[in-house]
Amino acid sequence: MRISEQKIEQIKLSVSIVDIISEFVQLRKRGKNYIGLCPFHNEKTPSFTVSEEKQIFHCFGCHSGGNVYKFLMEYDKISFVEAVQELAEKTGVDLELETNVHDEQQNELEEYYELNNIAAKYFSDQLLVNNDGESARKYFEERKLNLKTLRVFGLGYSLISNNSFVNFAEEKELDFNRLLTLGLVGKSEKGRLYDRYPGRIIFPIFSPNGRVIAFAGRKLDEGTPGGKYINSPETPIYIKGRILYGLSHAKDEIRKKGIAIIVEGYMDLLALVQNEIKNVVAVSGTAFTEEQVRLLSRYTKNVTLLFDSDAAGINASMRSIEILLDQDFEIKIATLPKGEDPDSFINKFGKTKFQGHLAKAQNFFEYQSAYYEAAGMFNDSGKTAEAIRELVKPAALIKDELKRSLLIKTIAKKFNLREMLIESELNKAIKNISKLETSQQRRTNIKANIEQNEFSKKSNSISLIHLQTERDLIKLLFEGDVEVVKYIFDNLNVEDFSIELHQEIVRKVSNHFSQKENIDVSLLLDEFIDEKIELYLRELLFDKHSISSKWEELLPDSQSEFKLLNYTVEVVNKMKINLLDKLIQKNMQNLELVDNEEEKFELIKLGNELKTERLNLIKETK
Ligand SMILES: [Zn+2]
């Protein structure tokens, strides 16, 4: 599947990167750019920058960046084609896919999706129509799941009988190498292929877009060998810990209600959805991962945790609280009577009673202090101090100062303590967090500096001022002003740039410009396949290497176009002076080498001409 370049351009032009990223990241304006907290690494002070003018983003912390497609690809973990499709849907641009042209990588991913689809359909058929699927049907009947739910969530069954899926795949001539990668079949040491999920209930796992990306197989009866669950391995289309079960079905409802209910298991989720409670996702592990929280934050920042009331469930809640607070979530925790989980509870007591429990959900502070209280930690003073320290820890993760001080007041009031005391505990906790963060930040900075040095090593014979002139020229090329670009290419060649890195960038721009007669920064950036060059360029465009203080003064002006061209002339002149300096130097070296008087005279004449030209340029520039 391939999408034409014009379409890719058309779609990109019909949106603003600021609008799109704003859906996921809170941005605020600073100067020409927008800044916010980076969604790709953990940070408390914003280093994530978006340029409306250039339609690209860049993070000074983790160095991620690119155009709007790149953002969606990284954020959603989707392919380029999917990112284009997602934007096309948003903007209403009609995408006629040209399927006859091959895009190998994308085709390969599509084949994995297709195989998962075929397998899901196969397992579903075994559950719904095969005589041998009786035991599985019975299981779901006992768990009170109806046909509609089984269908909507694509539930299935893998027969116990000898390698029925392998046989099916052979019959259909499916690609066994890919089936192995997907973990749908296994291979013995002797090379014999076998079913990976025999005798198991199959839960297909969907991507947020609703595609089958993995499977979870649950033991139907205790006699089945292996653990309670067997899951897909990581594959080209599935990364563990980045998926929330049920999200593709729940996302609209979550947006509508403005809140998500988080449960532990598949069956919990299915039971709630069948009872018309649809804003539910399952973590299907023990606690939230950071990536799951990030994924969820696209739809809401409000959650109610509804984990089992056993020790494992409480632990999972406690750990989830920190991850959620760290990403600015509002958290409520609902508890069910001991021994019940959402699945068993709603089937026994019905929807109304269930919603009653949801309504009684506590905020995380109430929940945690109740927990410590129940554990007897407030009975002696030593343990009380420990409990308070534990309670203050999550408060340190709250970024909103007002919310934080409200919480401090609550804690102080509840335990009859002076606020000052709590505050000093809180400050300690905050210090610990920021220590951790700055050391992380430092590490990434060091890495960037090393890469930076690789470039400068090659350029150490060239003066810093000269390099800055070249950088300014490259920046000018990316200002999106046709006149400016034209002027530069009329006056300078690619070879005039002194280091290879700059030459490569200028060459690409020149090719792009001669083909399109304009400069689309965000598209052009995609043409730099070498990540180091792309990063260098992005940092340059976001002013990391800017020494010239003129730059900022130049642009916000109403006559900026005029000023920009003037400035371009000035920089091009500087560049020419640099080039002349080189020629003059070379000329003097040559002069020392020749003995012939006539040649000497010619060289002196040439040298004088060069010097006059240089002088004129200097006069012009002043
Ligand atoms: Zn970042």
Side-chain angles (χ1 to χ4, degrees):
M1 188 156 49
R2 202 184 144 86
I3 302 163
S4 71
E5 244 176 73
Q6 288 98 310
K7 281 280 175 203
I8 292 169
E9 218 174 317
Q10 186 196 345
I11 293 163
K12 204 185 58 61
L13 286 175
S14 63
V15 295
S16 161
I17 191 169
V18 175
D19 291 341
I20 299 296
I21 292 183
S22 292
E23 284 180 30
F24 314 114
V25 180
Q26 245 177 35
L27 295 175
R28 62 170 199 271
K29 189 130 199 212
R30 181 188 282 174
K32 289 186 296 173
N33 296 330
Y34 290 80
I35 59 163
L37 292 171
C38 179
F40 304 116
H41 84 280
N42 232 328
E43 61 176 9
K44 296 268 190 295
T45 46
S47 46
F48 181 81
T49 316
V50 185
S51 162
E52 171 124 63
E53 187 184 45
K54 298 193 172 70
Q55 292 291 308
I56 54 177
F57 72 98
H58 174 72
C59 173
F60 289 99
C62 66
H63 310 288
S64 63
N67 61 21
V68 67
Y69 293 128
K70 190 78 185 295
F71 179 84
L72 290 174
M73 284 162 74
E74 278 186 27
Y75 199 99
D76 287 347
K77 308 296 166 214
I78 54 179
S79 68
F80 178 72
V81 173
E82 283 174 303
V84 177
Q85 281 171 322
E86 198 175 316
L87 266 196
E89 244 172 71
K90 259 199 186 98
T91 55
V93 174
D94 203 19
L95 258 195
E96 302 134 35
L97 295 173
E98 298 155 34
T99 40
N100 52 344
V101 192
H102 285 275
D103 183 340
E104 257 175 50
Q105 203 189 354
Q106 187 54 27
N107 266 354
E108 187 167 337
L109 292 184
E110 287 302 326
E111 272 175 51
Y112 284 118
Y113 285 124
E114 183 55 25
L115 284 173
N116 270 350
N117 255 345
I118 293 170
K121 174 80 172 65
Y122 170 82
F123 292 133
S124 163
D125 284 348
Q126 307 316 306
L127 173 69
L128 299 178
V129 296
N130 194 317
N131 280 338
D132 294 339
E134 184 59 34
S135 54
R137 285 196 289 278
K138 234 187 191 144
Y139 171 82
F140 282 123
E141 219 170 274
E142 276 162 22
R143 303 296 294 258
K144 297 208 172 69
L145 288 188
N146 62 30
L147 190 62
K148 187 182 159 205
T149 307
L150 299 186
R151 282 232 165 90
V152 168
F153 285 88
L155 299 179
Y157 177 57
S158 178
L159 301 179
I160 304 180
S161 58
N162 288 334
N163 287 331
S164 64
F165 181 72
V166 170
N167 295 339
F168 165 80
E170 251 161 18
E171 208 175 288
K172 295 274 172 194
E173 295 179 11
L174 302 183
D175 181 335
F176 272 99
N177 280 331
R178 293 213 163 99
L179 291 178
L180 276 166
T181 306
L182 288 168
L184 280 162
V185 301
K187 199 181 203 172
S188 74
E189 276 174 28
K190 287 177 186 158
R192 194 181 54 84
L193 294 162
Y194 57 87
D195 282 10
R196 265 197 83 225
Y197 305 104
R200 287 171 183 268
I201 302 280
I202 304 288
F203 298 89
I205 314 289
F206 295 91
S207 73
N209 298 337
R211 309 182 87 173
V212 182
I213 52 172
F215 297 95
R218 186 192 191 283
K219 250 185 201 184
L220 190 53
D221 71 75
E222 285 308 310
T224 312
K228 189 174 173 192
Y229 279 96
I230 289 181
N231 301 308
S232 293
E234 296 215 342
T235 71
I237 55 172
Y238 173 57
I239 300 171
K240 288 187 177 184
R242 286 194 181 169
I243 284 296
L244 283 163
Y245 182 70
L247 183 63
S248 63
H249 295 89
K251 60 184 183 187
D252 292 340
E253 191 77 3
I254 289 173
R255 276 204 177 116
K256 215 161 78 192
K257 293 236 161 81
I259 186 165
I261 300 167
I262 319 292
V263 296
E264 273 178 51
Y266 306 114
M267 291 306 281
D268 295 327
L269 179 134
L270 296 172
L272 296 190
V273 173
Q274 190 168 283
N275 282 281
E276 294 293 315
I277 296 166
K278 292 181 177 167
N279 54 331
V280 194
V281 291
V283 286
S284 63
T286 45
F288 257 135
T289 67
E290 237 177 83
E291 273 141 336
Q292 284 175 321
V293 173
R294 210 168 278 153
L295 179 64
L296 187 63
S297 70
R298 298 174 45 190
Y299 306 95
T300 185
K301 287 252 180 184
N302 286 309
V303 295
T304 301
L305 296 177
L306 184 59
F307 291 165
D308 295 354
S309 37
D310 57 8
I314 292 168
N315 266 333
S317 297
M318 294 289 203
R319 268 183 294 148
S320 301
I321 287 171
E322 291 192 8
I323 290 187
L324 285 159
L325 278 179
D326 198 33
Q327 296 197 34
D328 265 341
F329 269 75
E330 289 286 335
I331 310 157
K332 293 239 158 173
I333 298 138
T335 36
L336 294 171
K338 261 221 156 64
E340 300 288 352
D341 57 36
D343 174 28
S344 66
F345 187 89
I346 201 156
N347 281 321
K348 256 186 243 169
F349 304 105
K351 187 181 173 183
T352 317
K353 278 239 165 88
F354 177 81
Q355 279 174 324
H357 271 279
L358 272 191
K360 278 187 285 183
Q362 300 166 296
N363 70 34
F364 76 89
F365 170 70
E366 290 165 341
Y367 176 82
Q368 286 189 320
S369 43
Y371 172 77
Y372 293 128
E373 206 161 4
M377 287 183 81
F378 295 126
N379 295 342
D380 76 84
S381 54
K383 278 185 179 165
T384 302
E386 196 186 320
I388 288 170
R389 228 166 277 142
E390 285 301 313
L391 283 171
V392 166
K393 251 192 228 163
L397 295 167
I398 299 176
K399 285 161 201 137
D400 188 325
E401 261 178 58
L402 188 66
K403 274 191 213 162
R404 210 159 60 194
S405 54
L406 271 175
L407 186 69
I408 291 172
K409 274 199 188 351
T410 319
I411 295 176
K413 206 170 157 199
K414 172 146 179 122
F415 301 104
N416 220 355
L417 295 163
R418 280 179 304 132
E419 276 177 40
M420 288 278 283
L421 198 71
I422 313 261
E423 247 168 56
S424 82
E425 280 301 324
L426 181 71
N427 284 337
K428 273 186 226 160
I430 290 176
K431 251 186 217 145
N432 278 337
I433 293 172
S434 58
K435 239 187 252 161
L436 200 74
E437 253 180 24
T438 43
S439 71
Q440 277 169 354
Q441 195 89 8
R442 209 175 299 133
R443 264 201 301 280
T444 47
N445 281 345
I446 287 169
K447 193 168 150 260
N449 281 338
I450 290 169
E451 279 165 19
Q452 197 52 50
N453 279 339
E454 273 176 45
F455 288 131
S456 27
K457 244 184 256 154
K458 288 170 203 152
S459 53
N460 58 10
S461 62
I462 304 142
S463 78
L464 210 65
I465 296 169
H466 184 166
L467 273 186
Q468 190 51 40
T469 308
E470 295 191 3
R471 286 182 186 135
D472 275 356
L473 278 167
I474 293 174
K475 283 176 74 174
L476 282 166
L477 286 174
F478 281 86
E479 277 305 315
D481 185 318
V482 177
E483 290 298 309
V484 165
V485 178
K486 243 186 139 108
Y487 184 84
I488 292 173
F489 286 131
D490 282 348
N491 284 279
L492 296 168
N493 295 317
V494 173
E495 291 71 30
D496 292 339
F497 287 78
S498 55
I499 59 173
E500 216 180 280
L501 172 69
H502 288 172
Q503 287 186 4
E504 195 155 330
I505 292 171
V506 175
R507 194 173 299 121
K508 274 251 159 67
V509 178
S510 162
N511 289 341
H512 185 97
F513 187 66
S514 57
Q515 277 166 26
K516 308 214 168 195
E517 286 177 7
N518 71 33
I519 296 290
D520 184 322
V521 179
S522 61
L523 282 181
L524 188 49
L525 210 53
D526 264 356
E527 290 180 23
F528 291 91
I529 315 250
D530 186 332
E531 279 173 22
K532 273 189 194 164
I533 299 181
E534 197 260 357
L535 178 60
Y536 176 86
L537 183 56
R538 237 190 304 124
E539 291 190 330
L540 181 61
L541 298 183
F542 278 98
D543 277 339
K544 191 182 168 183
H545 310 290
S546 176
I547 299 168
S548 155
S549 58
K550 277 185 175 172
W551 203 261
E552 283 298 319
E553 305 158 18
L554 276 168
L555 296 170
D557 196 85
S558 58
Q559 287 178 306
S560 62
E561 269 172 52
F562 175 69
K563 273 195 169 179
L564 201 65
L565 192 57
N566 277 352
Y567 182 64
T568 308
V569 174
E570 202 178 300
V571 181
V572 167
N573 278 353
K574 256 197 227 162
M575 183 78 173
K576 282 182 178 168
I577 293 168
N578 285 331
L579 292 169
L580 281 172
D581 280 343
K582 266 196 233 165
L583 288 177
I584 291 168
Q585 211 178 8
K586 184 100 187 130
N587 182 266
M588 293 209 303
Q589 281 165 2
N590 287 343
L591 203 58
E592 276 170 31
L593 294 176
V594 292
D595 292 327
N596 182 316
E597 285 302 312
E598 207 169 311
E599 273 180 49
K600 238 182 195 166
F601 179 72
E602 283 302 314
L603 283 174
I604 289 170
K605 207 175 117 192
L606 178 65
N608 285 337
E609 277 168 19
L610 289 172
K611 279 175 194 156
T612 318
E613 205 183 327
R614 186 182 185 277
L615 219 67
N616 286 339
L617 274 173
I618 288 174
K619 269 189 215 148
E620 226 176 274
T621 313
K622 284 277 160 69

